[in-house]
Amino acid sequence: MPVVIIIPARFASTRYPGKPLVELRGADGQPRSLIRRSWDAAMQVAGVDRVVVATDDDRIREHAEGFGAEVVMTSPECRNGTERCAEAVANMGIRPEIVVNLQGDAPLTPAWFVEDLVAGLRAAPEAEVATPVLRCTGRMRADLIADRHAGRVGGTTAVFGHDGRALYFSKEVVPFAAGEFAPDEPSPVFHHVGVYAYRPEALHAYAGWDEGVLEKLEGLEQLRFLERGRNLLCVTVEARGRQFWELNNPEDVMRLEQMMGEMGIA
């Protein structure tokens, strides 16, 4: 089994309890849950052998099975999506070439983000994990900064070297850049897209490590790999005219619905 997508989903989110079951209205006005929209996005990815929802909550399990998703139950002790993916793979008894973690709060993730991610990891044998990054326009950068000024935890930004190897991820807007950028002008800030592709060995090792200091401070699971000196590849993806945002706070529901309306996503 070359590629499996796992969508980790928990009900007891600290910032937004019940988030996977929150309904979003698309361009056609019909509501669909966040986890349903994330599953729909995963099903559009080419070259994937299996798509699975991994959860510890019966409400999510029943809802996901109701729209036809395969569900694997995991422990409520999983501290983040990567740990949940590791447990799901173990519970399924499989050993795929690549495991993709499509986090359940990113329903606007285009299929080519994941396809380019898998291709990037396959082309970099030295990398153990890969994750997509999207160059921010001036408008997106301004939205990230506005969230931080308002005290909201918005998107995550990434800094990486010339070879794509990740240097750091933060919920602050990094790197600092003086001045303003026009709404459609490319900025030096890269938005981290909440998707990961792991080699099974790296995923298994991650589950056995203690939570890192930086991981705790930032609340970013991928920093555990960097704190252990592991090679995490940032794969630059192209928006191709699509807008992208994640559902991190209740205020993001309106933003996502507006984006889906503008892009004609039902």
Side-chain angles (χ1 to χ4, degrees):
M1 183 177 295
V3 180
V4 58
I5 292 180
I6 298 178
I7 306 173
R10 64 175 182 145
F11 192 90
S13 170
T14 303
R15 295 200 309 271
Y16 198 166
K19 184 167 68 170
L21 301 183
V22 169
E23 292 191 333
L24 300 171
R25 293 185 182 274
D28 60 357
Q30 295 300 311
R32 291 190 182 89
S33 67
L34 180 63
I35 189 65
R36 169 66 186 270
R37 291 190 178 279
S38 298
W39 184 78
D40 287 344
M43 296 297 290
Q44 298 301 312
V45 179
V48 172
D49 298 271
R50 197 167 174 182
V51 176
V52 178
V53 172
T55 187
D56 59 2
D57 190 276
D58 284 333
R59 288 164 290 190
I60 295 174
R61 176 186 59 78
E62 291 173 4
H63 176 71
E65 289 178 343
F67 59 73
E70 178 184 358
V71 179
V72 173
M73 298 302 291
T74 53
S75 167
E77 303 305 314
C78 293
R79 292 170 290 189
N80 57 46
T82 299
E83 289 190 3
R84 198 171 302 283
C85 285
E87 184 175 323
V89 170
N91 290 350
M92 292 162 67
I94 60 173
R95 190 172 181 80
E97 175 198 357
I98 293 173
V99 179
V100 174
N101 171 354
L102 179 61
Q103 299 192 77
D105 57 6
L108 299 187
T109 304
W112 64 85
F113 279 20
V114 183
E115 293 159 5
D116 290 352
L117 178 65
V118 170
L121 185 59
R122 282 177 169 155
E126 73 284 356
E128 300 173 89
V129 185
T131 194
V133 293
L134 177 66
R135 184 183 289 275
C136 290
T137 61
R139 180 183 294 109
M140 185 181 292
R141 174 179 175 269
D143 285 345
L144 291 171
I145 292 172
D147 272 350
R148 298 305 298 127
H149 287 170
R152 294 189 294 267
V153 177
T156 298
T157 57
V159 179
F160 49 93
H162 66 89
D163 58 354
R165 183 164 180 166
L167 301 176
Y168 197 63
F169 297 89
S170 182
K171 288 179 179 174
E172 295 292 349
V173 182
V174 293
F176 167 77
E180 300 295 328
F181 295 84
D184 294 324
E185 180 184 3
S187 83
V189 173
F190 282 82
H191 188 170
H192 173 237
V193 180
V195 184
Y196 303 94
Y198 319 96
R199 302 194 194 280
E201 298 81 4
L203 185 59
H204 176 74
Y206 181 98
W209 298 332
D210 291 332
E211 193 175 16
V213 174
L214 295 174
E215 177 188 3
K216 288 181 182 179
L217 289 172
E218 291 269 11
L220 295 174
E221 63 200 274
Q222 67 270 34
L223 290 176
R224 195 181 306 183
F225 286 112
L226 298 190
E227 291 186 81
R228 293 278 173 165
R230 298 304 180 107
N231 191 323
L232 195 161
L233 177 70
C234 289
V235 177
T236 302
V237 293
E238 300 296 332
R240 302 184 195 174
R242 284 281 295 270
Q243 300 180 65
F244 176 80
W245 200 261
E246 296 152 344
L247 201 159
N248 295 299
N249 306 284
E251 296 87 347
D252 292 325
V253 171
M254 185 178 298
R255 178 180 287 173
L256 286 172
E257 289 182 336
Q258 180 180 346
M259 288 180 172
M260 287 189 291
E262 292 172 354
M263 292 185 288
I265 298 176

